[in-house]
Amino acid sequence: DTAVSQTPKYLVTQMGNDKSIKCEQNLGHDTMYWYKQDSKKFLKIMFSYNNKELIINETVPNRFSPKSPDKAHLNLHINSLELGDSAVYFCASNQGWTGELFFGEGSRLTVL
Amino acid sequence: GENVEQHPSTLSVQEGDSAVIKCTYSDSASNYFPWYKQELGKRPQLIIDIRSNVGEKKDQRIAVTLNKTAKHFSLHITETQPEDSAVYFCAASITGNTPLVFGKGTRLSVIA
């Protein structure tokens, strides 16, 4: 059983398009995150949700809109994609900002 | 907020030698310090962690040390093997209060 799963694994799209990435965790965790990993491998937190409530929204353009329909799911929608959005996006979860962070496999977004 | 600095950014060692990666953090209230390993094309995975009430922790060939006064912690890998080649990330947080903030990563290459 995959603990944290993301879809799709790869996304190739044109500038200006809108795309979504879905994430689900079956660990029973109450806290989920989106991290962005750029070409230099920096792992930067974008959003953190606790029990479906947005807790952290780092300096991310408002073209990025996370949605958590329930505490097992955290989706990321990106509008008007730009070249600089190309990166690997990791979903992750843990329990109440405590303990091991479990990452999904990542979704590689390429904007042309 | 927390800031985590990690050095070096790249490290090459001969197989069998030791590798040391160092991190400093800024928030003296941080009390949880994990290390993640990310192999090429894979997700980051926890390899070892330490809490602020402990000065050192070992797990086979891996050890982590923490100096709270100086606000730095280090990862030590002994008897390195080619499969240790990966990007290693340190991180820090206040358990239950803040999400993990990651260092910028160290690319370790173990040369056979």
Side-chain angles (χ1 to χ4, degrees):
Chain A
D1 266 355
T2 304
V4 183
S5 58
Q6 298 178 226
T7 54
K9 194 169 180 180
Y10 298 98
L11 273 161
V12 181
T13 189
Q14 299 286 329
M15 271 198 312
N17 284 351
D18 303 340
K19 288 293 176 187
S20 293
I21 307 170
K22 294 186 175 181
C23 178
E24 176 181 4
Q25 53 95 4
N26 62 7
L27 296 166
H29 290 158
D30 62 3
T31 307
M32 296 184 72
Y33 311 79
W34 279 109
Y35 280 85
K36 179 180 180 182
Q37 186 170 48
D38 61 22
S39 57
K40 293 184 179 178
K41 299 297 183 185
F42 300 159
L43 263 175
K44 188 167 179 188
I45 189 168
M46 301 173 68
F47 302 102
S48 172
Y49 269 74
N50 180 267
N51 277 319
K52 305 192 302 173
E53 300 285 330
L54 178 64
I55 304 299
I56 285 184
N57 178 356
E58 293 293 324
T59 50
V60 176
N62 58 13
R63 298 181 295 104
F64 291 78
S65 51
K67 279 196 172 51
S68 182
D70 56 61
K71 70 176 193 176
H73 294 84
L74 180 61
N75 304 323
L76 183 66
H77 187 76
I78 316 170
N79 290 328
S80 305
L81 280 156
E82 300 177 357
L83 292 176
D85 297 332
S86 295
V88 179
Y89 291 84
F90 283 100
C91 177
S93 73
N94 65 2
Q95 186 62 23
W97 287 344
T98 299
E100 182 175 357
L101 196 58
F102 289 83
F103 285 88
E105 289 185 316
S107 297
R108 181 177 294 278
L109 171 65
T110 304
V111 182
L112 303 174
Chain B
E2 177 65 277
N3 183 47
V4 178
E5 299 283 340
Q6 182 172 348
H7 299 280
S9 56
T10 59
L11 179 60
S12 289
V13 299
Q14 292 290 329
E15 183 178 359
D17 286 352
S18 295
V20 180
I21 302 170
K22 298 182 179 183
C23 289
T24 59
Y25 60 98
S26 61
D27 190 341
S28 57
S30 288
N31 58 7
Y32 177 61
F33 308 94
W35 288 87
Y36 283 77
K37 176 183 180 182
Q38 186 179 24
E39 297 176 357
L40 189 62
K42 301 265 181 83
R43 73 190 85 192
Q45 291 190 289
L46 179 72
I47 54 171
I48 195 168
D49 58 11
I50 192 168
R51 298 186 187 273
S52 60
N53 57 347
V54 174
E56 183 174 359
K57 185 177 178 180
K58 282 185 183 178
D59 182 3
Q60 300 182 348
R61 296 185 297 108
I62 292 172
V64 58
T65 58
L66 171 65
N67 183 328
K68 283 182 62 179
T69 305
K71 290 191 284 188
H72 67 70
F73 57 114
S74 301
L75 177 71
H76 304 253
I77 306 174
T78 57
E79 300 170 22
T80 53
Q81 299 166 5
E83 52 265 38
D84 294 329
S85 296
V87 178
Y88 291 80
F89 293 93
C90 62
S93 73
I94 305 170
T95 298
N97 256 303
T98 62
L100 283 175
V101 175
F102 285 87
K104 290 188 174 176
T106 297
R107 185 178 299 277
L108 173 65
S109 299
V110 179
I111 304 160

